[in-house]
Amino acid sequence: MEIATFEARVAGTLPEIPDRFNAAVDLLERNLRAGRGDKVAIIDDVGSYTYRELAARAHRFASALQRLGVQPQERLLLCLKDGIDFPTAFLGAILAGAVPVPLNTLLAASDYAYMLEDSRAVAVAASDTLWPQLAPGIAHAAALRHVIVSGSTLPPGAHALSDLLSAGPDRVEPAQTHRDDPCFWLYSSGSTGAPKGTVHVHASPIQTAALYAQQTLGITADDVVLSAAKLFFAYGLGNALVFPLSVGATAILMAERATPASVAERLRKHRPTLFSGIPTLFASLLANDVLPPREEVSLRLCNSAGEALPEDVARRWQARTGVEIIDGIGSTEMLHIFISNRPGRVRHGTLGVPVPGFDARIVNDAGEDSPSGEIGDLWVRGPSSARHYWNQPERSQATFVGGWTRTGDRFRRDESGDYVYAGRADDMLKVGGIYVSPIEVESALVSHPAVQEAAVVGKEDADRLVKPIAYVVLARGAVPSESLAADLKMFVKSRLAPYKYPRWIEFVDDLPKTATGKIQRFRLRELCRRSD
């Protein structure tokens, strides 16, 4: 597609964003101007908060940063559990012109120490329960001047968030930021090296809301949203903060981990209309007795990302709940989902087509566009692409190429033009000289009634040739045995080309996963090497 054509298509789907633009002002003021000041914006584990109360809290936090001397473009690390204090600090920092950097709340002390040093943050806002993991890094962070703590346990020298909020006015003059100024960072996964500070600008949040949430999910002010992914992830930040605020909907936040029990409780209690999950959670909900019956929930649509959604899980979910799951793919670099199925047009086993305003191409090893049906590397472009990785010019140049972002994912297009996920580039297997997607084999295994989850990696046989090995978590009531393993192999052979079947089946209690629920195949590869 020519650039001029692509830009014209984007221009027709995006909101008009002036040069002088502050993302937090936009998300808050649009709701106050629309008369939604008294409508509930956030429901957390403690209570509910209206749009007027959220705006006042954000402005008070902006005032606190100004009083502390935090300057525009200086970084503020956020290590906060999901609750009202997260959007307060995130939006308040943006109002003040500072750059909030949400951090994964499940990291080790060494990870926090790295990010404190790498970001050169001048301030940290943290939940008191996370202090033990943060403290070692804080002690050696050269640029750090202020520590702000949410909770009742206050470390020496720290500011209590509640005290700072009580001392500030309900409204301050926001920073005069530009639409292309750095707005916030998100640290991307460190699976291929040290985590990368991914820089997003003020225009990007509302662009993702307009292109995906409004035009694909059809989100409106009447929706109530629950996200399994936490706010520190790009997926969760869009689902549970940017998207609801962009239309005046209500977001449900929970500090605890998203388990079948915790999600089911909130599906009943708060009756969300939109539920944003991940494949492993949808599978776990289906495998548990806690999933409420249709008449006890108010869901109209679900969306999924993080890993490819197995076709069997999607079909069983719709049969059980009466609600579609819209599967899609996004990334930290693109901020949210850029290829997705559509409501009423879900083609199971595919991820659909690019979201309006985004363009994608599949590139082969020679750097040329791959023909339909052939697997290649996915490149994507769109208005929400990150500007660069902080202080990593070589990795920025390798990822952001001529307006395109190289995702590191492998894809093919099917005969209908839909995009089919084939796995991460470093997860692909070459069996007998032919590429095999582990996702394809896993999807076949999961469609067997005895299988709840499966992960496939490569293992060398006696001739040092790579063949697929499957690690399988059985469904409740299924018993591991040699006969079941043989049955699973034949089951895959009956659905895929014979060379793709797993030569070995290992039954396990669970699979290693990241905090976002993605399977850590590198750990399974390590397990293979240790067992040889």
Side-chain angles (χ1 to χ4, degrees), residues 14-71:
L14 279 174
E16 185 175 344
I17 302 176
D19 287 345
R20 284 294 175 191
F21 184 79
N22 183 291
V25 172
D26 174 62
L27 290 172
L28 294 169
E29 292 300 321
R30 64 172 53 219
N31 290 292
L32 299 182
R33 288 195 306 268
R36 290 191 283 260
D38 294 326
K39 184 181 179 184
V40 173
I42 303 289
I43 299 171
D44 69 6
D45 297 341
V46 177
S48 61
Y49 311 85
T50 66
Y51 273 99
R52 184 173 290 106
E53 290 169 331
L54 175 60
R57 288 177 63 92
H59 278 271
R60 289 182 202 144
F61 189 81
S63 172
L65 293 184
Q66 292 169 349
R67 295 195 306 273
L68 293 173
V70 176
Q71 298 299 308

Side-chain angles (χ1 to χ4, degrees), residues 259-321:
T259 63
S262 64
V263 169
E265 176 189 351
R266 286 160 179 84
L267 289 175
R268 275 195 177 96
K269 182 177 180 180
H270 300 301
R271 300 183 78 95
T273 56
L274 287 173
F275 173 50
S276 301
I278 55 177
T280 53
L281 182 57
F282 285 114
S284 295
L285 281 162
L286 288 168
N288 275 268
D289 293 329
V290 296
L291 183 61
R294 296 188 193 187
E295 61 271 16
E296 294 183 16
V297 300
S298 299
L299 291 174
R300 69 167 184 83
L301 188 65
C302 298
N303 65 316
S304 179
E307 289 264 278
L309 180 69
E311 180 176 346
D312 181 67
V313 172
R315 291 188 184 280
R316 286 191 291 124
W317 180 269
Q318 187 165 356
R320 178 88 171 267
T321 66

Side-chain angles (χ1 to χ4, degrees), residues 278-281 284 307 452-453 473 510-521 523:
I278 55 177
T280 53
L281 182 57
S284 295
E307 289 264 278
Q452 178 175 321
E453 291 184 283
V473 178
D510 51 46
L511 298 172
K513 297 187 180 76
T514 67
T516 57
K518 295 180 181 179
I519 296 170
Q520 294 176 312
R521 290 179 180 81
R523 294 195 182 279

Side-chain angles (χ1 to χ4, degrees), residues 231-470:
L231 289 169
F232 56 76
F233 296 122
Y235 183 46
L237 186 66
N239 296 336
L241 182 61
V242 174
F243 296 172
L245 267 60
S246 75
V247 294
T250 298
I252 303 164
L253 305 180
M254 59 179 178
E256 65 182 301
R257 189 167 64 92
T259 63
S262 64
V263 169
E265 176 189 351
R266 286 160 179 84
L267 289 175
R268 275 195 177 96
K269 182 177 180 180
H270 300 301
R271 300 183 78 95
T273 56
L274 287 173
F275 173 50
S276 301
I278 55 177
T280 53
L281 182 57
F282 285 114
S284 295
L285 281 162
L286 288 168
N288 275 268
D289 293 329
V290 296
L291 183 61
R294 296 188 193 187
E295 61 271 16
E296 294 183 16
V297 300
S298 299
L299 291 174
R300 69 167 184 83
L301 188 65
C302 298
N303 65 316
S304 179
E307 289 264 278
L309 180 69
E311 180 176 346
D312 181 67
V313 172
R315 291 188 184 280
R316 286 191 291 124
W317 180 269
Q318 187 165 356
R320 178 88 171 267
T321 66
V323 176
E324 288 182 312
I325 301 176
I326 308 302
D327 196 15
I329 184 171
S331 69
T332 302
E333 288 78 7
M334 297 304 294
L335 191 53
H336 212 273
I337 290 173
F338 48 80
I339 293 177
S340 178
N341 276 288
R342 304 293 196 273
R345 190 196 175 276
V346 173
R347 292 194 64 238
H348 295 298
T350 82
L351 290 169
V353 296
V355 168
F358 291 87
D359 198 15
R361 59 188 295 221
I362 298 173
V363 179
N364 63 22
D365 293 340
E368 302 167 341
D369 287 342
S370 295
S372 179
E374 290 190 11
I375 292 174
D377 294 319
L378 181 70
W379 292 28
V380 63
R381 62 179 172 185
S384 63
S385 174
R387 289 302 180 258
H388 56 85
Y389 296 129
W390 164 255
N391 215 23
Q392 297 201 38
E394 291 183 1
R395 296 176 83 175
S396 295
Q397 291 168 10
T399 300
F400 305 105
V401 181
W404 293 91
T405 297
R406 301 173 67 176
T407 67
D409 293 301
R410 302 279 282 180
F411 268 80
R412 64 178 174 85
R413 273 187 304 273
D414 68 10
E415 64 282 356
S416 298
D418 288 314
Y419 285 69
V420 180
Y421 184 58
R424 294 290 295 174
D426 52 3
D427 289 334
M428 293 294 291
L429 310 178
K430 208 164 193 180
V431 180
I434 306 173
Y435 275 116
V436 174
S437 163
I439 303 299
E440 188 179 17
V441 184
E442 291 163 7
S443 295
L445 283 165
V446 170
S447 65
H448 191 285
V451 177
Q452 178 175 321
E453 291 184 283
V456 173
V457 296
K459 179 181 178 178
E460 290 185 344
D461 64 11
D463 297 319
R464 306 195 67 80
L465 298 174
V466 173
K467 303 289 170 54
I469 177 173

